[in-house]
């Protein structure tokens, strides 16, 4: 494990005023295959949560034979405790658009969409004119690509890529069966690359600064840096770009308020790391992966309440179509409440833990599959708080 | 199509690429349990009951949804699979109003079967059944009980894919997700056509037909009442499925006997009124053609479209209300029968019509609504007092303790009990068209339709839309204006196909003179009131049985039915005459479009 000390990085928000079109020109001077090659060799993995290798995703989409392909920027940002995409779109929107254009050029797409979280509609005031201008500029550069905005439906599940496509197609936001994956059959049934806001900016920056400066950051499984949304019991709440692979203890030393009991890494669908594990866990795909949310809890927090909040969130935000997730989330919530009230014995927690295993292996999408992460990491580490 | 090879439970399977793991498993007789899957519908993959283990995958795969891949190694019965499946069924039970003892679908319920198979312990989980769920009994035809819903969305897919009505949708998410209508309207205010296809595709007791059999028992038990029952052509080829017979068995004689044993005063045949419909409708078509071709009357709407499927009638009233003029004004055979049972029949039998209770046994849920349409009282009484489904009759026969298989055969009573092969084939898609052509062609030319054995094969079968054309030559003098006309007809079944036909009509581009539309896939043999389950193979077998029924009839043309000839002579006088207009024809109304 490549344990690292804390290191602040400035790639995403760097040179907010530099000319993004220059980066695009640089990309257009390369061949699509060269671009994809660079993204692959950078080791960049998706920043939306699942961590799929971005270059490979682009390569798969490029390989599809289709006249129509799409690039979609996932700006639905619904994970509790995450607000970094909003910041990126607010501060360096052009870099996001350039990332989309580079991707479009690389895979052969003519149309792109930014799927914007409903609550972020206030950004449209600035984004709309920017996109209009950007569309003209890229046409002038000879790239046949147009970006449009799409205002989301307001449901957390619509951040899941296939539910997002359904929602864009005017249907109910329900995740699809996979396979087929979006690179084969995505929006409107066409090959689609969908990337997180932050992922796209890293693509822009990898083209601009080159592969090496990015790649030398992080660990072998988690190259580069990442933007974190830090909240909870901290005096330094906010957005930070940090190198990947740092130890949780380093993180807590910097951001904790001295009394940190646990850190929830990756939001409601992520993992809870208790104090005793701070030393031997790193933040990254080989350790604790995260889409960016870091919630810090100090000793006065009830982890029962934390878990209950998450379960209420899941029971509300599950799309409700598949059995393990729809009913499982309700059972977990009702179950911990019943144990707390003494209506069920504490051994019922074991039944519930088994249930999360079923949800993990049998749910249709990432939402139901990842409920186990927070449930088991909180229940196993704070069992007594669940019971008494 | 390329062939791929995989192994399922150590058995080698070769299958066409694009098929699912479930398809592949079927090929080697490995049964994987399913719930949201239905052969008639597109894949949903939401219940997760069908999960299997695929080597190399961390999660389980929903076998109904995941395509089989070359070299795949699948295990369908590992501890991991069994645990997950059992857990999933237990979860479904935990949100379910488990009242099997009082449930209409008990013993015919997929959740019940799964729960029994996995020996579910009801105490594994807490109940998360929503409190205070109210049963929607607003519709004359369909009852919706969300407390028995497993949220498989089969109904939603049925209403969208087979029927293109979209009366049912999913509303809410997470714990509040449920099957709903537009704006959560009660079913009687929604755009629902009452076709009942959702009911026969529902795995549980969440969607059922409104039951009226208690009303029938009551009438039978009332000495003062004279109960007449008419049974539709497709009931006799399907009811056996509920009583221990294989699919496609013809049990006409036993069915008649069983009804007599129930205590019904007169067991009559809807086929009779189907024959009557053919004669009236045949004349109506010829009259429209005369007005359009000879008198150049531009108010005449062609193509004329059949009106004997009440689900279809309500569909067009909702969705194409500006084209109601295309519908034949003929009532459905059920309603013709009803009106005559309290007039002609009453008169002939010397019974006061107020004492007659007229019941129909139908393959259909929409006929319940039709029987209750306010205008259906031309006899001066409710023309039909209750419309029952094939399933309800099956229940009544069981309630009466009859050993169906041991019953002798018997004949329909008279009058209005005699029928023809033409009336019989009404029950299958294309049947009305075939019967109509047998009659109309002969009326116009004096000769048999130019098909072997009167079998008009182009309009038979399960193709969604079928077409045929018959050239009218050497016409009789009365019909000389039709000389040389090529009569173009089409047949559509399933409302999705009806919509295609209507889009053409609405665009003014329909090339046909006459169109048969049935709301249900396969026609009445696939009706929403038929025994559950349903699928293409079952529908085909029932249809075959109907055509056998036809071939076994001495008379196979509606206008040659002796009782039809008699009723015109003694009562109706002439097709489209004054009495017909009063009793046998109707009008339609515009309905809301949501
Ligand atoms: C329930 C759920 C919600 C998600 N929400 C988001 C989101 O808000 N933003 C996002 O970028 N990805 C979200 N994802 C991940 C996307 O499905 C997808 O993997 C991602 O957009 C791919 O981009 P990336 O490869 O750049 O990370 C979500 C996934 C799940 C299962
Ligand atoms: S896991 Fe949850 S969110 Fe995903 S499809 Fe199933 S019910 Fe919907
Ligand atoms: S729907 Fe099925 S499981 Fe539910 S009560 Fe009825 S028979 Fe029992
Ligand atoms: S009503 Fe029936 S078919 Fe529809 S979702 Fe519920 S259980 Fe499934
Ligand atoms: S009865 Fe027919 S139209 Fe009505 S909801 Fe069911 S499938 Fe749809
Ligand atoms: S039958 Fe496969 S998921 Fe429901």
């Amino acid at each position: 494990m490549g344990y690292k000390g804390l290191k602040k990085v400035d790639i995403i928000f760097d040179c907010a005023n530099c000319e993004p079109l220059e980066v695009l020109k640089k990309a257009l001077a390369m061949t699509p295959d060269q671009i994809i090659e660079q993204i692959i060799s950078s080791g960049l993995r998706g920043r939306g949560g699942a961590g799929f290798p971005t270059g490979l995703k682009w390569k798969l989409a490029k390989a599809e034979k289709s006249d129509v392909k799409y690039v979609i920027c996932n700006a639905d940002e619904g994970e509790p405790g995450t607000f970094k995409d909003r910041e990126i779109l607010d501060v360096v929107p052009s870099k996001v658009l350039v990332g989309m254009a580079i991707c479009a050029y690389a895979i052969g797409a003519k149309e792109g969409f930014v799927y914007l979280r409903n609550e972020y509609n206030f950004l449209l005031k600035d984004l709309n004119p920017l996109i209009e201008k950007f569309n003209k500029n890229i046409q002038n550069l000879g790239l046949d690509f147009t970006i449009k905005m799409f205002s989301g439906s307001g449901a957390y599940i619509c951040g899941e890529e296939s539910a997002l496509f359904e929602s864009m197609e005017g249907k109910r936001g329900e995740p699809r069966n996979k396979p087929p994956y979006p690179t084969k059959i995505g929006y409107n049934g066409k090959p689609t690359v969908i990337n997180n806001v932050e992922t796209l900016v890293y693509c822009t920056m990898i083209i601009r600064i080159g592969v090496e400066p990015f790649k030398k950051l992080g660990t072998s499984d988690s190259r580069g840096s990442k933007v974190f949304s830090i909240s909870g019991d901290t005096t330094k709440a906010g957005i930070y770009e940090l190198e990947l692979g740092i130890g949780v203890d380093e993180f807590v030393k910097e951001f904790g308020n001295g009394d940190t009991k646990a850190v929830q890494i990756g939001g409601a669908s992520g993992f809870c790391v208790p104090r005793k594990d701070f030393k031997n866990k790193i933040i990254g795909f080989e350790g604790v992966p995260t889409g960016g949310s870091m919630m810090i809890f100090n000793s006065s927090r009830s982890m029962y309440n934390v878990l209950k909040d998450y379960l209420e969130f899941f029971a509300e935000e599950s799309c409700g179509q598949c059995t393990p997730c729809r009913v499982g989330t309700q059972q977990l919530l009702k179950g911990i409440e019943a144990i707390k009230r003494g209506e069920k014995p504490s051994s019922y927690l074991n039944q519930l833990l088994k249930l999360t295993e079923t949800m993990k292996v049998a749910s249709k999408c990432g939402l139901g599959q990842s409920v186990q992460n927070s449930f088991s990491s909180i229940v196993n580490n704070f069992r007594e708080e669940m019971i008494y | 199509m390329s062939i791929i090879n995989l192994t399922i439970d150590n058995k080698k399977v070769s299958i066409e690429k694009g098929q699912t793991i479930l398809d592949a498993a079927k090929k080697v007789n490995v049964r994987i349990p399913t719930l949201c899957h239905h052969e008639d519908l597109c894949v949903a993959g939401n219940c997760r009951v069908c999960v299997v283990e695929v080597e190399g995958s961390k999660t389980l795969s929903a076998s109904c949804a995941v395509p089989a891949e070359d070299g795949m190694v699948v295990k369908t019965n590992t501890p991991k699979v069994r645990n997950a499946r059992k857990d999933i069924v237990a979860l479904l039970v935990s949100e379910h109003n488990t009242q099997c003892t009082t449930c209409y679908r008990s013993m015919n319920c997929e959740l019940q079967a799964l729960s029994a198979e996995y020996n579910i312990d009801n105490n594994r989980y807490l109940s998360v059944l929503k409190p205070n769920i109210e049963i929607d009994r607003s519709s004359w035809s369909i009852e919706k009980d969300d407390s028995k819903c497993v949220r498989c969305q089969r109904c939603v897919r049925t209403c969208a894919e087979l029927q293109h009505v979209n009366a049912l949708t999913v509303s809410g998410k997470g714990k509040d997700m449920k099957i709903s209508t537009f704006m959560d309207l009660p079913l009687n205010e929604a755009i629902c056509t009452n076709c009942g296809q959702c009911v026969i595709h529902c795995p549980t007791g969440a969607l059922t037909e409104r039951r009226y059999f208690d009303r029938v028992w009551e009438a039978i038990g009332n000495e003062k009442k004279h109960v007449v029952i008419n049974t539709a052509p497709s009931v006799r080829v399907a009811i056996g499925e509920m009583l221990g017979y294989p699919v496609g068995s013809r049990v006409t004689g036993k069915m008649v006997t069983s009804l007599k044993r129930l205590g019904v005063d007169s067991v009559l045949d809807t086929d009779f009124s189907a024959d009557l419909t053919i004669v009236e409708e045949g004349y109506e078509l010829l009259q429209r053609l005369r007005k359009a071709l000879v008198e150049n009357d531009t108010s005449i709407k062609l193509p004329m479209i059949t009106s004997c499927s009440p689900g279809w009638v309500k569909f067009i009233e909702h969705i194409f209300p500006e084209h109601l003029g295309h519908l034949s004004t003929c009532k459905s055979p059920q309603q013709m029968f009803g009106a005559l049972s309290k007039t002609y029949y009453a008169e002939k039998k010397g019974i006061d019509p107020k004492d007659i209770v007229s019941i129909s046994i139908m393959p259909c849920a929409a006929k319940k609504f039709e029987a209750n349409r306010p205008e259906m009282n031309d006899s001066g009484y409710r023309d039909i007092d209750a419309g029952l489904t094939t399933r309800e009759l099956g229940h009544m026969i069981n309630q009466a303790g009859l050993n169906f298989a041991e019953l002798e055969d018997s004949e329909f009573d008279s009058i209005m009990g005699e029928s023809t092969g033409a009336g019989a084939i009404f029950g299958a898609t294309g049947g009305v068209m075939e019967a109509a052509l047998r009659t109309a062609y002969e009326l116009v030319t004096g000769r048999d339709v130019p098909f072997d054995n009167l079998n008009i094969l182009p309009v038979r079968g399960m193709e969604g839309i079928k077409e045929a054309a018959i050239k009218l030559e050497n016409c009789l003098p009365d019909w000389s204006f039709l000389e040389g006309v090529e009569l173009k007809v089409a047949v559509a079944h399933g409302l999705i196909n009806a919509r295609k036909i209507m889009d053409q009509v609405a665009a003014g581009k329909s090339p046909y003179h006459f169109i048969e539309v049935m709301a249900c896939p396969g026609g009445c043999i696939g009706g929403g009131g038929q025994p559950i389950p349903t699928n293409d193979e079952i529908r085909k077998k029932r249809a075959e049985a109907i055509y056998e029924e036809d071939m076994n009839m001495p008379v196979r043309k509606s206008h040659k039915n002796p009782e039809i000839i008699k009723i015109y002579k003694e009562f109706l006088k002439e097709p489209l005459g004054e009495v017909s207009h009063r009793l046998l024809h109707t009008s339609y109304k515009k309905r809301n479009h949501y």
Side-chain angles (χ1 to χ4, degrees):
Chain A
M1 291 229 289
Y3 180 96
K4 296 236 171 192
L6 187 111
K7 181 169 167 196
K8 290 188 182 165
V9 181
D10 190 16
I11 295 177
I12 291 285
F13 297 101
D14 167 46
C15 90
N17 298 317
C18 78
E19 185 45 73
L21 279 185
E22 294 305 315
V23 186
L24 184 55
K25 277 186 200 156
K26 186 172 171 189
L28 294 180
M30 300 160 71
T31 67
D33 284 330
Q34 282 170 335
I35 292 175
I36 290 173
E37 202 37 60
Q38 289 221 350
I39 304 293
I40 289 178
S41 77
S42 75
L44 173 64
R45 292 171 65 169
R47 300 297 195 236
F52 192 83
T54 306
L56 179 58
K57 192 184 271 190
W58 291 16
K59 190 173 173 172
L60 291 170
K62 176 171 189 283
E64 289 296 322
K65 288 190 181 53
S66 171
D67 291 342
V68 182
K69 295 180 188 178
Y70 298 102
V71 177
I72 293 175
C73 167
N74 190 342
D76 197 48
E77 194 165 51
E79 190 67 53
T82 321
F83 38 93
K84 47 117 187 153
D85 291 340
R86 181 186 65 191
E87 187 77 2
I88 295 172
L89 280 168
D90 198 16
V91 180
V92 287
S94 296
K95 286 193 187 176
V96 180
L97 303 184
V98 169
M100 291 175 74
I102 294 172
C103 176
Y105 171 66
I107 69 163
K110 295 193 179 59
E111 218 179 333
F113 295 89
V114 179
Y115 187 97
L116 187 69
R117 179 178 178 170
N118 196 273
E119 288 88 336
Y120 293 175
N121 278 345
F122 66 90
L123 292 170
L124 286 174
K125 181 168 60 62
D126 293 336
L127 282 177
N128 279 332
L130 182 77
I131 287 178
E132 205 176 307
K133 200 168 116 210
F134 184 78
N135 282 337
K136 283 203 193 97
N137 284 337
I138 50 178
Q139 296 289 344
N140 291 341
L141 288 179
L143 181 64
D144 180 11
F145 179 60
T146 314
I147 298 179
K148 293 183 186 130
M149 292 299 305
F150 191 98
S151 188
S153 75
Y156 169 61
I157 193 57
C158 289
E160 195 280 339
E161 51 199 20
S162 61
L164 184 148
F165 302 147
E166 292 283 300
S167 139
M168 283 182 67
E169 290 170 16
K171 292 179 260 178
R172 183 182 152 80
E174 281 186 355
R176 299 174 181 169
N177 290 299
K178 290 181 209 164
Y181 293 95
T183 45
K184 204 177 180 73
I185 296 181
Y187 173 54
N188 279 342
K190 301 295 177 191
T192 304
V193 163
I194 176 163
N195 275 129
N196 175 254
V197 174
E198 183 187 341
T199 313
L200 289 163
V201 176
Y202 277 120
C203 293
T204 303
M205 295 312 286
I206 287 164
I207 297 301
R208 196 179 106 81
I209 62 180
V211 170
E212 284 315 313
F214 179 84
K215 202 174 169 179
K216 73 170 199 284
L217 296 169
T219 66
S220 61
D221 261 0
S222 312
R223 294 285 179 207
S225 51
K226 158 115 206 57
V227 183
F228 292 88
S229 316
I230 298 169
S231 63
D233 298 317
T234 169
T235 53
K236 298 181 180 169
I239 307 276
Y240 297 86
E241 186 173 0
L242 305 173
E243 185 176 7
L244 282 171
I246 58 178
V248 177
D249 57 342
E250 294 279 337
F251 175 86
V252 170
K253 219 187 297 162
E254 172 74 19
F255 295 100
N257 62 6
D259 182 27
T260 303
K261 156 160 103 174
V263 184
Q264 179 74 18
I265 301 180
S269 49
F271 294 85
C272 180
V273 179
R275 188 181 291 151
K276 71 173 166 42
D277 290 340
F278 288 171
K279 266 204 154 29
N280 47 35
K281 288 268 195 267
I282 67 165
I283 300 165
F285 295 107
E286 61 271 70
V288 193
T290 171
S293 164
M294 305 292 284
M295 282 193 227
I296 302 174
F297 301 117
N298 69 16
S299 301
S300 63
R301 293 277 172 170
S302 152
M303 293 314 285
Y304 170 82
N305 285 340
V306 169
L307 180 60
K308 188 162 161 273
D309 281 352
Y310 289 164
L311 292 175
E312 275 166 358
F313 173 80
F314 286 131
E316 291 282 336
E317 294 299 332
S318 151
C319 80
Q321 68 163 317
C322 81
T323 314
C325 174
R326 178 188 66 250
V327 193
T329 51
Q330 295 176 66
Q331 286 296 349
L332 296 176
L333 177 60
K334 266 209 157 182
I336 64 160
E337 287 173 339
I339 293 165
K340 194 77 176 176
R341 284 196 300 265
E343 290 161 14
K344 279 273 181 188
S346 57
S347 60
Y348 190 56
L349 279 174
N350 303 338
Q351 179 75 60
L352 297 180
L353 284 165
K354 269 199 225 152
L355 170 57
T356 62
E357 186 59 28
T358 298
M359 294 170 70
K360 181 179 172 165
V361 297
S363 289
K364 186 167 174 176
C365 87
L367 191 151
Q369 287 164 5
S370 59
V371 171
Q372 186 184 57
N373 298 348
S374 54
F375 189 89
S376 66
S377 59
I378 293 178
V379 166
N380 287 331
N381 289 307
F382 301 96
R383 202 177 166 99
E384 62 296 341
E385 284 194 41
M386 301 300 124
I387 301 166
Y388 306 108
Chain B
M1 269 295 158
S2 56
I3 299 291
I4 53 170
N5 301 297
L6 60 156
T7 37
I8 298 183
D9 293 348
N10 301 319
K11 297 183 192 183
K12 289 197 166 29
V13 201
S14 301
I15 193 163
E16 269 179 18
K17 198 172 158 65
Q19 306 270 75
T20 62
I21 297 176
L22 183 67
D23 296 326
K26 269 189 197 143
K27 248 190 121 175
V28 280
N29 285 324
V30 171
R31 188 179 66 87
I32 301 173
T34 57
L35 187 60
C36 67
H37 175 78
H38 195 291
E39 292 144 85
D40 285 348
L41 306 172
C42 80
V43 168
N46 60 32
C47 76
R48 316 305 285 178
V49 164
C50 68
V51 287
V52 295
E53 216 171 322
V54 175
E55 209 173 84
S57 169
K58 276 183 282 181
T59 56
L60 299 176
S61 300
S63 57
C64 72
V66 175
E69 301 278 355
D70 202 34
M72 231 180 204
V73 178
V74 179
K75 297 259 162 61
T76 74
N77 188 23
T78 62
K80 189 170 167 185
V81 167
R82 266 197 315 276
N83 285 338
R85 262 189 214 151
K86 186 163 181 162
D87 226 7
I88 289 164
V89 179
L91 289 173
L92 286 167
V93 170
S94 80
E95 77 174 341
H96 195 81
N97 183 15
T98 326
Q99 293 205 333
C100 301
T101 44
T102 54
C103 184
Y104 187 52
R105 282 294 295 274
S106 191
M107 310 304 282
N108 182 221
C109 168
E110 293 179 39
L111 178 63
Q112 191 186 47
L114 280 170
S115 179
E117 194 168 298
Y118 284 86
N119 190 222
I120 296 305
D121 169 8
N122 202 13
N123 293 321
R124 179 181 287 198
Y125 295 116
L126 299 160
S127 169
V128 291
L129 173 66
K130 301 269 164 322
N132 311 322
I133 292 177
E134 271 181 41
I135 301 175
D136 180 353
R137 290 202 177 93
S138 63
S139 155
W140 288 111
S141 296
I142 315 281
E143 220 173 271
K144 179 165 170 282
D145 179 356
D146 291 345
S147 74
K148 307 249 178 88
C149 174
V150 295
R151 291 148 175 97
C152 63
Q153 301 190 36
R154 271 158 55 161
C155 53
V156 177
R157 283 176 282 149
T158 300
C159 198
E161 291 166 28
L162 301 182
Q163 302 301 65
H164 215 293
V165 176
N166 296 302
L168 298 173
T169 54
V170 177
S171 77
K173 56 184 170 36
K175 61 183 177 22
D176 302 318
M177 180 271 201
K178 65 167 194 164
I179 306 304
S180 183
T181 55
F182 177 70
M183 304 270 289
D184 220 358
L185 288 171
L187 270 176
N188 67 330
E189 290 173 37
I191 198 170
C192 171
T193 68
N194 299 311
C195 71
Q197 283 301 313
C198 52
V199 172
I200 56 170
H201 288 87
C202 178
T204 70
L207 286 166
T208 52
E209 72 271 35
R210 286 272 310 269
R211 274 90 67 194
Y212 298 98
F213 48 65
D214 284 338
R215 222 187 257 189
V216 179
W217 282 126
E218 205 176 302
I220 289 174
N222 186 339
E223 303 258 298
K224 294 201 198 79
K225 296 291 179 191
H226 179 87
V227 179
V228 292
I229 275 191
N230 71 98
T231 63
S234 57
V235 174
R236 63 204 66 173
V237 298
I239 182 93
E241 291 165 38
M242 293 189 70
L243 301 160
Y245 284 80
V247 178
S249 304
R250 294 188 288 133
V251 293
T252 317
K254 288 187 196 303
M255 178 189 73
V256 174
T257 308
S258 69
L259 283 163
K260 291 182 178 173
R261 291 280 198 90
L262 297 185
V264 171
D265 295 296
S266 195
V267 182
L268 303 176
D269 199 349
T270 325
D271 294 18
F272 161 82
S273 48
D275 282 335
L276 188 58
T277 306
I278 286 302
V279 174
E280 289 287 323
E281 207 166 58
Y283 275 96
E284 186 186 354
L285 174 66
L286 294 174
Q287 190 186 57
R288 285 195 194 208
L289 288 171
R290 185 195 297 276
K291 285 193 176 156
L293 300 177
V294 182
E295 300 163 20
N296 288 322
D297 182 344
T298 49
S299 72
I300 292 302
K301 296 278 188 247
L302 284 172
M304 184 176 94
I305 312 179
T306 58
S307 56
C308 41
S309 166
W312 148 242
V313 168
K314 193 154 180 271
F315 176 86
I316 183 171
E317 287 181 329
H318 278 294
I319 298 176
F320 294 95
E322 59 284 14
H323 300 289
L324 293 174
H326 288 275
L327 277 183
S328 158
T329 58
C330 287
K331 287 182 184 172
S332 72
Q334 160 175 291
Q335 293 308 130
M336 287 197 181
F337 185 94
L340 291 173
S341 68
K342 299 199 178 175
T343 51
Y344 174 64
Y345 177 88
E347 212 175 289
K348 289 277 165 193
K349 293 274 177 178
I351 303 169
D352 187 340
K354 82 169 169 25
D355 292 330
I356 294 180
V357 178
S358 195
I359 309 288
S360 56
I361 310 290
M362 293 285 141
C364 186
K367 294 238 164 60
K368 292 172 184 289
F369 170 81
E370 187 188 35
N372 284 294
R373 286 174 81 116
E375 68 274 20
M376 292 294 179
N377 58 359
D378 294 319
S379 61
Y381 303 87
R382 268 290 83 199
D383 293 344
I384 288 289
D385 293 285
L388 270 61
T389 59
T390 309
R391 295 189 293 272
E392 286 169 275
L393 176 60
H395 277 267
M396 288 184 77
I397 292 171
N398 284 328
Q399 285 170 15
L402 297 180
N403 185 345
F404 193 79
E406 300 295 312
L407 296 179
E408 71 288 355
D409 285 350
S410 57
E411 299 284 328
F412 284 103
D413 293 316
S414 167
I415 51 175
M416 309 202 329
E418 205 156 338
S419 67
T420 69
I425 58 175
F426 248 67
T429 167
V432 177
M433 182 56 70
E434 183 165 347
L437 290 177
R438 286 182 193 171
T439 289
Y441 189 88
E442 194 171 321
L443 285 179
V444 171
T445 66
R447 303 184 305 274
D448 278 350
V449 275
F451 289 89
D452 266 357
N453 267 325
L454 304 176
N455 294 336
I456 310 182
L457 299 181
V459 297
R460 295 187 184 181
M462 293 300 159
E463 194 73 38
I465 295 176
K466 294 164 281 188
E467 293 180 309
I470 300 184
K471 195 148 188 163
L472 300 171
E473 281 167 321
N474 301 322
C475 296
L476 295 173
D478 267 0
W479 309 101
S480 56
F481 69 94
L482 290 170
E483 187 62 41
V485 168
E486 187 170 56
L487 192 67
K488 291 195 176 128
V489 302
V491 172
H493 59 116
L495 290 172
I496 185 143
N497 296 311
R499 184 185 285 261
K500 288 180 196 151
I501 285 281
M502 279 314 293
D503 282 339
Q504 247 184 351
V505 170
K509 293 204 175 118
S510 183
Y512 312 111
H513 298 102
F514 185 36
I515 303 174
E516 174 204 302
V517 177
M518 293 290 157
C520 292
C524 305
I525 44 111
Q530 293 283 46
I532 302 170
T534 187
N535 60 39
D536 207 39
E537 197 188 327
I538 291 174
R539 290 189 289 268
K540 280 186 181 141
K541 285 195 173 145
R542 291 179 189 157
E544 275 166 30
I546 285 242
Y547 289 114
E548 277 172 32
E549 195 82 359
D550 171 33
M551 287 305 282
N552 283 314
M553 292 288 220
V555 183
R556 296 178 57 218
K557 297 172 209 159
S558 298
H559 59 287
K560 294 283 169 71
N561 179 339
E563 284 198 336
I564 294 290
I565 296 169
K566 193 161 160 222
I567 196 175
Y568 276 110
K569 208 158 113 208
E570 298 178 359
F571 185 73
L572 295 170
K573 307 303 177 203
E574 53 167 344
L576 308 182
E578 187 269 323
V579 188
S580 291
H581 263 288
R582 187 160 51 82
L583 295 177
L584 308 181
H585 290 257
T586 188
S587 58
Y588 309 103
K589 66 177 238 188
K590 181 179 161 76
R591 293 177 194 272
N592 62 321
H593 197 150
Y594 46 78

